[in-house]
Amino acid sequence: MTGTVLWEPPADVRETTRIGAYLRWLERERGLVFADYAALWQWSVTDLPGFWQSIWDYFEVISHSPASAVLPDATMPGATWFPGATVNYAEHVLRMPGIGDDDPVVIAYSQSRESITLTARQLREQVRSVRAGLKARGVGHGDRVAAYAPNIPETYVLMLATTSLGAIFSSCAPEFGTRSVVDRWSQIEPKVLVAVDGYRYGDKPISRSTEVAAIVEAIPSIEHVVTIGYLDASAGDWQSLAGDDPMGFEAVPFDHPLYVLYSSGTTGLPKPIVHGHGGILLEHLKILALHHDLGPSDRFFWFTTTGWMMWNFLVSGPAVGASIVLFDGNPAFPDMSALWDLVDEAGITYFGTSAPFLMACRKAGLTPDKPGLKAVGSTGAPLPAEGFDWVYQAVGTRLQLQSLSGGTDVCTGFVGASPLHPVIEGVIACRVLGAKVEAYDPAGQPVIGELGELVITAPMPSMPVSFWNDPDGKRYREAYFDVYPGVWRHGDWITIGRDGTCVITGRSDATLNRGGVRLGTAEFYSVVESLPEIADSVVVHLEQDDNPNGELLLFVVLAEGLELDDALIRKIRDELRSALSPRHIPDEIHQVRAVPRTLSAKKLEVPVKRILTGTPVESAAAKGALANPESLVAFEELARERAADPA
């Protein structure tokens, strides 16, 4: 695949980056020499024991008992990593290599209160104290601790304290409604709940006391409730979660549960995805240091809530010596510059966000101009070429734009970037080390340069340990291994170029199949949403028995004050025809007030498709998992109209 090169690595990249230092270490300690990234990647996915042992050794992982092997059985599902080894994730985060005791390690900004900075010494002390408070409440090995709290230092301290005990952490962002929280936590039965009294979103105060009471009422396993006075500083008893016990780290097996993350839960109960201490530790050490080039001179920011896996990704930063910057609030308040202003205020060197946020900044005409940034990270959706262009035109020309894609299922990226790669407009630079990503055609054969199913054909340590309460592994197998036995099917369309670059073109379960030609949704959105009249859009394809092309329906949210008329419909169709192909022209275009999105801002093509084909709204989507459940009404009404008038 080719495209405009927007940035190239400097000539001394191998001397100045962490991946360069790792390559020198491999040559010195292992006698391994790799001419380029492609050769390094090939080794990392074919010699899995050699590669992952090198990550273990290079980052000096602390093991309280030795492993008997690295990977005695690579069969998926069920691959076992480092049997016999005992580790603790929190011990490695709080090691904070290269950060002095009095150096800032957590810098937190909020629209609910003044900013907070914690030094390394203060973070360790707060974790020690909260750990003692949890122990006093009977929390120990295997117990669950739940946080109904935003991206603030208390949530981070609680996670580290919980996991240091060998207990298991789970968080829901406080914008989640009662039903969404109960659907998640009733499955894991937490012993302790720590919750905020409320929060401020922009200038709007939002109380959560009613929701907290309802959650406690609905989950009888909760024995202790601790409240963080976040909306009202005088309201909470967070300070009571304290004690004098010394700090310690429970040595747990490599695959001992660390935390439970959840699928979006838009259709049925969210899947409780159990991640292990060792797998997350190794994966995050690898990707944060070698791919994102984070270390002691960095301040690492990613805009996220505690309901998205990017929070778990962000807060591993200190394990590689990076300070982290937290933000809680409305990213568009008082305007779209709010997050960019933090770059200067907090000294951010790596600014992570979502592709929709970057595109919204572009649409708003922002020019934040941040020459001090060394990198911008983008995930959550494919970033179109014009998003790449905007970053280099409006943010900085010397930074590296790192587009990545992965998932909650592995709490990392499968495909992403590295300091060794150029930035090419509209494409993801590479498959990440240790991730054997391939594209499968309909016959289950790997293809290059063609659209295919994104699959992982060799195990990764951060693949889930299990799903909670799935003793025979049935739900786990159905989620990833039901289509290609022994091969992980992720559910995305990907095209892998001969040069190793990757393009993700949307969810494979939201396929647009026009006359046997599969079309990705991402390219639709790139074209449609580039029009100044269009604020947002969603496209679905409905199969029809009597029509091989089926029916393609496009729904658009228009800029304020506009109405969809014949002229705009023609403009949209002409743009799709000229930019893509005649196959991409929708059969119908409808105006809606909002596109349904999950709480982590992902578009919901599949529930829309289900509603339009007659599935009742309550069965098509779990409203509590949506940021805007009222958006479903328009699709329900259209389905009713179409059923009444099939012509």
Side-chain angles (χ1 to χ4, degrees):
M1 285 179 277
T2 58
T4 303
V5 176
L6 301 171
W7 177 91
E8 292 196 74
D12 62 351
V13 63
R14 286 203 177 204
E15 285 72 54
T16 58
T17 60
R18 299 200 70 173
I19 195 169
Y22 170 66
L23 284 165
R24 294 195 299 276
W25 181 90
L26 284 175
E27 182 173 0
R28 184 174 68 249
E29 300 294 329
R30 298 289 198 267
L32 296 169
V33 179
F34 299 101
D36 54 20
Y37 180 88
L40 176 63
W41 178 82
Q42 191 64 42
W43 169 70
S44 78
V45 297
T46 51
D47 183 4
L48 294 175
F51 171 68
W52 288 106
Q53 183 68 57
S54 82
I55 296 298
W56 181 290
D57 293 343
Y58 182 71
F59 290 102
E60 300 178 346
V61 169
I62 303 164
S63 184
H64 298 269
S65 59
S68 59
V70 176
L71 183 65
D73 183 358
T75 304
M76 295 190 290
T80 303
W81 292 93
F82 294 93
T86 53
V87 297
N88 190 286
Y89 166 85
E91 184 172 14
H92 292 82
V93 173
L94 291 174
R95 185 167 58 169
M96 297 181 269
I99 298 177
D101 283 351
D102 297 318
D103 292 340
V105 69
V106 178
I107 306 162
Y109 294 88
S110 166
Q111 290 169 348
S112 300
R113 65 183 179 196
E114 293 300 309
S115 62
I116 293 173
T117 297
L118 297 180
T119 64
R121 189 195 314 273
Q122 289 168 329
L123 176 62
R124 290 189 185 105
E125 171 56 22
Q126 289 194 19
V127 173
R128 183 209 59 75
S129 180
V130 170
R131 180 183 194 271
L134 290 172
K135 275 182 71 177
R137 286 162 174 78
V139 174
H141 197 275
D143 289 327
R144 278 78 67 205
V145 174
Y148 188 52
N151 183 14
I152 56 177
E154 291 92 333
T155 315
Y156 187 34
V157 167
L158 181 69
M159 186 272 280
L160 293 172
T162 299
T163 57
S164 75
L165 287 164
I168 303 162
F169 180 78
S170 185
S171 61
C172 284
E175 62 265 25
F176 280 36
T178 303
R179 174 66 185 275
S180 291
V181 176
V182 171
D183 281 351
R184 286 160 171 76
W185 288 344
S186 60
Q187 298 185 71
I188 66 166
E189 300 177 300
K191 177 183 269 191
V192 174
L193 169 63
V194 176
V196 288
D197 59 334
Y199 59 95
R200 193 173 294 276
Y201 193 72
D203 58 358
K204 182 181 179 184
I206 300 169
S207 171
R208 292 324 249 171
S209 55
T210 301
E211 285 76 10
V212 172
I215 291 164
V216 174
E217 176 71 23
I219 304 177
S221 64
I222 296 173
E223 298 176 13
H224 305 280
V225 180
V226 177
T227 304
I228 301 169
Y230 187 50
L231 194 57
D232 175 4
S234 65
D237 58 350
W238 167 254
Q239 298 304 326
S240 72
L241 192 62
D244 297 326
D245 292 9
M247 189 63 209
F249 299 99
E250 183 80 9
V252 297
F254 187 88
D255 60 358
H256 181 77
L258 171 67
Y259 39 58
V260 181
L261 305 184
Y262 301 88
S263 63
S264 59
T266 51
T267 54
L269 279 180
K271 297 190 293 286
I273 301 167
V274 181
H275 286 292
H277 275 249
I280 289 297
L281 173 63
L282 285 188
E283 175 58 37
H284 288 183
L285 289 172
K286 176 209 74 179
I287 195 164
L288 294 175
L290 304 186
H291 286 271
H292 295 331
D293 198 38
L294 293 168
S297 62
D298 286 300
R299 294 197 173 171
F300 179 39
F301 169 79
W302 210 291
F303 175 65
T304 179
T305 74
T306 56
W308 188 22
M309 51 111 343
M310 291 309 297
W311 182 81
N312 304 77
F313 190 82
L314 165 68
V315 299
S316 285
V320 297
S323 301
I324 55 173
V325 179
L326 313 180
F327 173 82
D328 175 51
N330 181 348
F333 178 85
D335 56 45
M336 291 295 291
S337 297
L339 295 184
W340 295 108
D341 291 343
L342 291 182
V343 172
D344 301 319
E345 192 171 346
I348 291 167
T349 60
Y350 191 114
F351 182 94
T353 185
S354 67
F357 177 80
L358 293 176
M359 295 304 290
C361 291
R362 174 183 177 272
K363 199 140 203 171
L366 254 62
T367 53
D369 189 22
K370 301 298 175 186
L373 279 177
K374 80 173 192 182
V376 169
S378 171
T379 192
L383 182 66
E386 54 267 33
F388 280 72
D389 295 339
W390 177 81
V391 168
Y392 282 94
Q393 291 161 5
V395 184
T397 56
R398 299 175 64 184
L399 60 83
Q400 183 181 21
L401 173 57
Q402 297 195 326
S403 179
L404 61 149
S405 182
T408 302
D409 319 81
V410 287
C411 201
T412 189
F414 291 130
V415 292
S418 87
L420 303 176
H421 285 89
V423 177
I424 300 173
E425 179 187 72
V427 302
I428 296 172
C430 65
R431 294 171 280 186
V432 302
L433 296 174
K436 196 171 185 183
V437 176
E438 297 189 70
Y440 268 16
D441 68 13
Q445 296 300 311
V447 291
I448 294 291
E450 297 177 27
L451 188 68
E453 283 268 8
L454 191 162
V455 296
I456 314 294
T457 58
M460 295 171 62
S462 69
M463 284 175 172
V465 172
S466 63
F467 288 171
W468 193 268
N469 200 21
D470 180 31
D472 62 358
K474 182 174 182 289
R475 291 181 72 194
Y476 186 88
R477 288 191 303 274
E478 288 174 348
Y480 310 117
F481 299 100
D482 61 340
V483 176
Y484 308 111
V487 171
W488 173 296
R489 172 184 172 269
H490 195 60
D492 283 338
W493 290 126
I494 188 171
T495 305
I496 301 170
R498 296 196 179 280
D499 58 358
T501 57
C502 304
V503 175
I504 304 280
T505 43
R507 296 292 296 172
S508 58
D509 54 8
T511 308
L512 313 174
N513 195 329
R514 299 280 269 176
V517 178
R518 295 173 300 184
L519 312 174
T521 54
E523 53 193 358
F524 264 87
Y525 302 140
S526 175
V527 173
V528 172
E529 292 167 25
S530 69
L531 298 173
E533 298 90 343
I534 310 297
D536 203 358
S537 65
V538 63
V539 64
V540 296
H541 180 258
L542 308 183
E543 290 79 15
Q544 295 177 323
D545 292 338
D546 57 350
N547 180 0
N549 285 325
E551 189 176 20
L552 195 62
L553 304 181
L554 174 64
F555 300 89
V556 293
V557 180
L558 299 188
E560 195 169 340
L562 296 183
E563 293 293 328
L564 186 65
D565 56 19
D566 290 344
L568 183 52
I569 288 173
R570 279 196 304 274
K571 182 176 181 180
I572 295 169
R573 285 178 165 158
D574 289 347
E575 194 73 17
L576 285 165
R577 178 189 287 109
S578 61
L580 298 175
S581 79
R583 288 185 185 275
H584 290 78
I585 300 170
D587 296 291
E588 294 180 13
I589 303 177
H590 297 271
Q591 182 176 355
V592 292
R593 294 183 65 179
V595 167
R597 289 183 180 269
T598 66
L599 290 163
S600 57
K602 296 185 187 301
K603 297 188 192 196
L604 292 174
E605 294 114 334
V606 174
V608 167
K609 181 174 179 176
R610 287 177 174 160
I611 291 169
L612 292 173
T613 51
T615 303
V617 168
E618 57 273 14
S619 301
K623 291 186 177 180
L626 271 65
N628 52 354
E630 71 285 349
S631 62
L632 298 175
V633 173
F635 301 98
E636 185 180 32
E637 290 174 351
L638 179 61
R640 204 177 296 124
E641 291 170 13
R642 286 163 62 90
D645 182 17

